[in-house]
Amino acid sequence: MNVLAEPSLPPALETAAMWSDSEVAGAGIEVHDVPLVSVGGGIGSFVTVDYLRIAGGLTPVDIRVLSRQRRAWQAYKHLATVSQIPRRGRIRSDASSRPDNIWGFPSYAWQEAIRDWNPGPVFQVLVEPVLADYYTPRLQDVVDSLDREARRIGYDEMLVLGNVEVVRKRLGGGYFTVLRPECAGSPRDGRPPAAPVVYRSRDVHLAVGYPGLRFLPDLQRFRERHDFHHVVNAYEDHEHIYQALRRRPGTVLVRGAGIVASQVLERLIRDRREGGSATRILHLFRTYVADTHGPHMWARRHGKDGFAYQGFNYPKSVWGGQLRARMHDLEGPERVRAYEEIEGTTTPWRQHWQNQLDRARQEGWYQSLNGVIGDLTWEQGAVVARLDRPDEPHSAALVRADYVIDCTGLIGEVEEHHVLRDLLEHGGAARNPLGRLDVDQRFRLRGAENGDGRVYVTGAAAYGGYFPGVDTFLGLQIAAQEIVDDLAERRHCRYFGPLRSFAEWLKWLTGRQI
Amino acid sequence: MVPTLSGRIQTRLFLLAVIGWPLTMLVTPLLPLAGPMPDRYRATLVVLAAVAVLGVGWELLYHLLMQWRWEKDWPTLFGLVTLLPEGLLVWLLGSRAMLPGLTAPLDLAAFAIHFVLVWLATWLVANGPMRVVYVRWRFRGGRLL
Ligand SMILES: Cc1cc2nc3c(=O)[nH]c(=O)nc-3n(C[C@H](O)[C@H](O)[C@H](O)COP(=O)(O)OP(=O)(O)OC[C@H]3O[C@@H](n4cnc5c(N)ncnc54)[C@H](O)[C@@H]3O)c2cc1C
């Protein structure tokens, strides 16, 4: 797909890696000047802009957020909700991972304790994870807190709705970011698509999230041959499966061992308990983890019943502890090895999940399987999965189910996103050892610097760099801190010292607009 | 904050100096201690110094123990309960007047009140207010330098 195939960008611009002011003016494209644009408008843009406003002292006129969504939490909340975190449900990250508060204090646990007049959450943080599971905030509280902070920093004043098509270097330094504005009508209304506009900026920040959902080949083949209804990715809306199972008993094959699989299991079990469904669950593990595992005594992760257990997406020391320090200057194969050590799908240990599954096993309606799906077919009104099993290499097992819920994830490949791919093709960007975009310790995209201008990349596209935690709330904040410190060193914003930090925190606490 | 080794040591020394020292200066006259004021201050300041100096050794041990944890983290609770072995060691040394600078054995009640107060205050500050002022501290494993 050629993203520049829309009629309005002249071919000369489409192919040139560097654009001049006069070329852009000559093409008749409207130009807006702003020091910094953030492309994406998700959580990554939000925390970066929040940091720039609070710590960097920039004003709303210094920043434009170019996004397809009005609220920073929309993409995240959508994925979290369809993957079965209910509105009142709890997310994965901890009390002080607060995308709405750069200090992480007071934590979500304090907020919840004070609001509900119940010391439970604070006590839980005190004893986690030794005597209790990790405290994690409720999804809705996270969303509400982001809305509050958005109002406080004037987020809407900085927001421009539309689809970003490309970021190209500008002759003389800085960048042009091409945006096709939303709202001005779509081809379906019979109106021509809105003319693109260009943001001319010194710096660009990119946090564009995941390009799409991952459909493994077996799943894709099934969906091409049969339907989209019986075999789904857990990150797409699949409420119809739960509804159908409430009406008629059935068997579900759940694939995957991460937190999404745990959440899907919780939903299926809750529907059995509260909704009266009689679902049988087959749970397929590609790598069945039976026990605590790891290469040596200082690198052992807890595991049991197929699952590998870990509180958060990464070992906790990734966000500032020893793992972050260790990876801070690992290059090439060494870095890949370090990633391999911490990789592997994990889910948190939550006592109520353990109890639910124990009961399900005892009552015989939950069964775990070890293997890989070789093929999925539709036979006599059911999905039939042919399993290749590592323990018995020459015997494939056939498993019948009414539905398959695949919990294996999202696509992170950068070439799937047109802006990122364009940066690889025209922007001088290169890949890191894990294939994503190569950023330095300050999240500057290597090869994309232009005169006084820099491109910063955070979120999934920067995974594989010196900082593995970059695609999490707290990781995005760590990255934002590095970016703002870099801008301060480049003398484009203020340095954030202890006194101002305290003063700004007081404003946050009292909800003062900045 | 998930500490690195140098972060642990820096944080300990910093908090003992910035929180522990003023607190000690404030509470010493109120502690159930006998004798002239300079002697009382000597007793409490020696304890504070012992917590700092012995603490470097303790931090090495904690860092070693932390290596058995997959997450390489140090739960909040650990930061609190390590009060017991550390307090005990300082007490054992202090009650036998084996801490350099002590002229007489420590008094148990005064020591316990002072030690627990300082410990709680530094622990509380480390678990929140610290990051309000030093916004980079928690992302650098507790390092301040
Ligand atoms: C189900 C789920 C649960 C998670 N739970 C946690 C958790 O508990 N704790 C935690 O710390 N992290 C969690 N994460 C990770 C966290 O959500 C991400 O780190 C974070 O959302 C990444 O922010 P982002 O801005 O990079 O991407 P997003 O928040 O996805 O936002 C990207 C935005 O960019 C927009 N965009 C993309 N391309 C363009 C374009 N060309 N033009 C304009 N806009 C564009 C998209 O529309 C989207 O709005 C979770 C992720 C998922 C999927």
Side-chain angles (χ1 to χ4, degrees), chain B residues 121-140:
Chain B
T122 51
W123 175 78
L124 281 174
V125 171
N127 278 293
M130 183 71 180
R131 46 187 204 254
V132 168
V133 187
Y134 295 99
V135 75
R136 295 166 189 84
W137 168 83
R138 69 169 165 155
F139 300 147
R140 296 188 180 165

Side-chain angles (χ1 to χ4, degrees), chain A residues 40 42-45 66-69 75-76 79-80 83 91-93 162-164 207-209 235 410 417-419 459 471-473 476:
Chain A
I43 310 279
S45 287
L66 312 180
S67 178
R68 296 179 195 141
Q69 60 182 28
Y76 160 70
L79 290 173
S83 66
I91 69 165
R92 186 167 195 178
S93 53
N163 189 51
V164 169
V208 291
Y235 283 117
L410 299 160
H417 193 279
H418 59 261
V419 178
D471 188 29
T472 61
F473 298 162
L476 289 163

Side-chain angles (χ1 to χ4, degrees), chain A residues 262-429:
Chain A
S262 296
Q263 282 158 189
V264 165
L265 292 176
E266 179 177 9
R267 169 74 194 268
L268 290 167
I269 294 173
R270 186 161 24 98
D271 282 358
R272 259 190 86 104
R273 209 180 51 226
E274 291 165 14
S277 66
T279 311
R280 240 183 93 230
I281 303 169
L282 300 172
H283 188 183
L284 181 62
F285 296 87
R286 187 181 54 186
T287 315
Y288 187 92
V289 182
D291 213 339
T292 298
H293 52 289
H296 54 82
M297 65 177 182
W298 285 347
R300 287 213 201 289
R301 179 159 59 191
H302 181 42
K304 185 164 127 352
D305 301 326
F307 297 92
Y309 293 104
Q310 182 173 281
F312 313 107
N313 293 19
Y314 303 95
K316 213 172 177 198
S317 56
V318 104
W319 293 277
Q322 133 182 4
L323 192 55
R324 179 172 189 215
R326 192 180 126 214
M327 295 193 67
H328 192 256
D329 13 61
L330 290 188
E331 301 289 349
E334 269 191 300
R335 197 191 311 162
V336 175
R337 258 198 309 282
Y339 269 93
E340 279 166 0
E341 253 179 56
I342 57 170
E343 250 170 17
T345 311
T346 65
T347 194
W349 177 281
R350 290 184 184 164
Q351 199 51 52
H352 68 281
W353 285 351
Q354 294 295 321
N355 299 345
Q356 282 176 346
L357 284 184
D358 282 347
R359 189 159 348 119
R361 278 187 209 99
Q362 277 162 16
E363 293 173 4
W365 43 269
Y366 170 88
Q367 189 193 345
S368 44
L369 304 164
N370 184 13
V372 199
I373 296 182
D375 200 22
L376 282 175
T377 49
W378 179 254
E379 287 170 29
Q380 295 159 358
V383 187
V384 176
R386 185 172 54 75
L387 294 191
D388 300 326
R389 293 186 296 186
D391 45 341
E392 293 167 56
H394 302 296
S395 73
L398 291 183
V399 175
R400 290 173 72 85
D402 297 288
Y403 298 98
V404 176
I405 304 178
D406 186 86
C407 309
T408 56
L410 299 160
I411 288 183
E413 282 76 12
V414 288
E415 62 276 8
E416 300 290 329
H417 193 279
H418 59 261
V419 178
L420 306 180
R421 191 180 55 228
D422 190 77
L423 279 166
L424 285 165
E425 287 169 1
H426 299 284

Side-chain angles (χ1 to χ4, degrees), chain A residues 51 96 101-105 107 125-131 134 297-301 310-312 314-317 319-322 324-325 341-342 474 477-478 481-482 485 495-496 498 501-502 505, chain B residues 1-8 62-81 123-125 127-143:
Chain A
Y51 233 103
S96 51
N101 172 324
I102 68 170
W103 306 271
F105 181 78
S107 70
V125 170
L126 170 66
V127 298
E128 74 182 16
V130 194
L131 304 177
Y134 277 112
M297 65 177 182
W298 285 347
R300 287 213 201 289
R301 179 159 59 191
Q310 182 173 281
F312 313 107
Y314 303 95
K316 213 172 177 198
S317 56
W319 293 277
Q322 133 182 4
R324 179 172 189 215
E341 253 179 56
I342 57 170
L474 195 55
Q477 257 171 358
I478 293 180
Q481 184 174 84
E482 296 290 342
D485 280 350
Y495 179 78
F496 199 47
S501 180
F502 182 62
W505 179 77
Chain B
M1 189 267 293
V2 180
T4 59
L5 178 58
S6 63
R8 284 174 170 285
Y62 301 153
H63 182 72
L64 180 71
L65 293 178
M66 191 176 78
Q67 301 311 308
W68 272 275
R69 297 182 61 76
W70 164 256
E71 310 258 359
K72 306 285 183 273
D73 64 335
W74 199 245
T76 315
L77 188 64
F78 290 8
L80 187 62
V81 298
W123 175 78
L124 281 174
V125 171
N127 278 293
M130 183 71 180
R131 46 187 204 254
V132 168
V133 187
Y134 295 99
V135 75
R136 295 166 189 84
W137 168 83
R138 69 169 165 155
F139 300 147
R140 296 188 180 165
R143 277 186 303 121

Side-chain angles (χ1 to χ4, degrees), chain B residues 20-34 36-45 110 114 117:
Chain B
W21 184 75
L23 190 64
T24 301
M25 297 309 279
L26 278 176
V27 300
T28 302
L30 310 174
L31 291 173
L33 282 168
M37 209 41 87
D39 286 354
R40 299 194 208 175
Y41 272 111
R42 176 183 287 265
T44 52
L45 288 172
H114 172 226
L117 270 183

